[in-house]
Amino acid sequence: MIKKKTTFRTPRIPETMQAAAIDRFGPPSVLTLHTLPVPEPGPHEVLIALHAAGVGIWDARMRDGAWWPTEDPAFPIVPGTDGAGFIAAKGGRVRRFEIGDRVWAYAYANPKGGFYAEYVAVDADAVGHAPERLDLLKAGAAAVTGLTALQGIDDVLRVRPGKTVLIFGASGAVGTLAVQFAKYRGATVFGTATGRDATLLVRHLGADGVIDARSDDAVERLRSLAPEGLDAVLGLAGSRALDRFLDLVRAGGWVAYPNGVEPEPRPRPSVRIRAYDAAAGPREFARLASAVEEATLRVPVSEVYPLAQAAQAHERLEKGHVLGRIALRIRGGRR
């Protein structure tokens, strides 16, 4: 567990806060700035004064209603699944945190509101001490993507030294981190990326080779780079092109993809295919913080928007081809 002692002094917690929220499901324009009550933390919850929040395609699918978990939504809804900031208050049963601790957190469809806000109240088990290596903007952009990347590489694909791994969608928010974790585990890593900037980014992060999945000779190029085949594939982009590469996976190899990636990879003989969700808890955040430090992780952030421009952030997100992750800056300062 990585914990920083800070000189942060919590101001008086206001009764209301600014939040980007929706009053109905719809396009990015429904996401507007609201004045809402600051949520009160329950006995096992913490209140985080947020400095940054990540913006992901899953947020957009919640905004438009496609992935909302209930049939009876209670508007206004504040989107956002992850972010970073300081502990501003805590419930009476919380022991792992103190006021002023630097933290990052991940909670999907949090019942007290998401992370596109100045404050968020979440279960303490969904929170971890932010690693020293990352400022709060990078930490806010890397909580759910870091958990997803590390658990895919370590827990599902079981990447070890000497393995050959393909990261399909290597220039995206999860892929850029997965490339680094797989290299840290000692694997030979190949990634897919389209365009000069994306290719350069993936190479810079340590990939041993980069393939444009849209090219006609993509499979042949990967075969030449990995003549003995692949041990594992992490599929992070929904594309039929992914299936073309799975013919290169050796018998007994693994294919993993986060739930929500569509179309899903087609089953095939002798290859184990598994969908998974990122898990958040004290142990998972501690593992991630350690991996961030040990792998000297870099978190590519493509664009940063203020909270009031959350709609513009979603518009950019839906244009696609984001290198790394988009983030919202909610408060100033690097730490």
Side-chain angles (χ1 to χ4, degrees), residues 32-273:
T32 60
L33 204 60
H34 288 55
T35 299
L36 299 175
V38 172
E40 293 187 11
H44 197 260
E45 294 177 334
V46 295
L47 182 71
I48 303 173
L50 288 164
H51 279 232
V55 178
I57 193 63
W58 45 90
D59 297 334
R61 298 292 76 81
M62 294 174 73
R63 185 210 71 231
D64 65 21
W67 286 5
W68 190 250
T70 67
E71 295 182 0
D72 187 23
F75 295 108
I77 292 171
V78 179
T81 58
D82 62 335
F86 289 96
I87 299 292
K90 63 176 187 171
R93 295 174 59 189
V94 175
R95 298 290 182 267
R96 289 194 302 121
F97 301 104
E98 300 297 336
I99 305 302
D101 283 355
R102 297 173 75 250
V103 295
W104 53 355
Y106 160 55
Y108 184 84
N110 186 45
K112 291 189 177 179
F115 290 74
Y116 292 9
E118 292 179 314
Y119 292 90
V120 65
V122 293
D123 190 290
D125 285 346
V127 182
H129 290 96
E132 297 285 348
R133 179 172 180 79
L134 302 181
D135 63 37
L136 287 174
L137 178 68
K138 298 292 180 67
V144 66
T145 51
L147 291 167
T148 303
L150 184 65
Q151 291 169 26
I153 293 298
D154 281 0
D155 302 339
V156 185
L157 297 179
R158 306 173 189 175
V159 172
R160 300 290 185 271
K163 299 295 184 182
T164 301
V165 180
L166 172 67
I167 309 299
F168 189 90
S171 65
V174 178
T176 51
L177 309 186
V179 166
Q180 297 173 76
F181 287 139
K183 284 300 297 181
Y184 174 68
R185 296 305 183 207
T188 298
V189 181
F190 303 112
T192 66
T194 299
R196 180 177 180 274
D197 289 345
T199 298
L200 289 175
L201 173 62
V202 175
R203 286 191 180 279
H204 181 66
L205 295 175
D208 298 283
V210 185
I211 305 98
D212 184 348
R214 300 178 184 178
S215 65
D216 293 336
D217 65 344
V219 174
E220 289 72 19
R221 180 145 185 268
L222 181 57
R223 196 189 307 273
S224 69
L225 292 172
E228 297 183 6
L230 302 170
D231 295 297
V233 175
L234 183 60
L236 300 169
S239 171
R240 286 299 178 199
L242 174 59
D243 279 316
R244 296 191 296 156
F245 291 105
L246 299 192
D247 291 333
L248 303 184
V249 180
R250 300 171 183 167
W254 278 95
V255 176
Y257 63 98
N259 279 307
V261 169
E262 296 177 349
E264 298 177 352
R266 291 184 293 107
R268 57 195 60 225
S270 304
V271 175
R272 293 166 288 186
I273 300 179

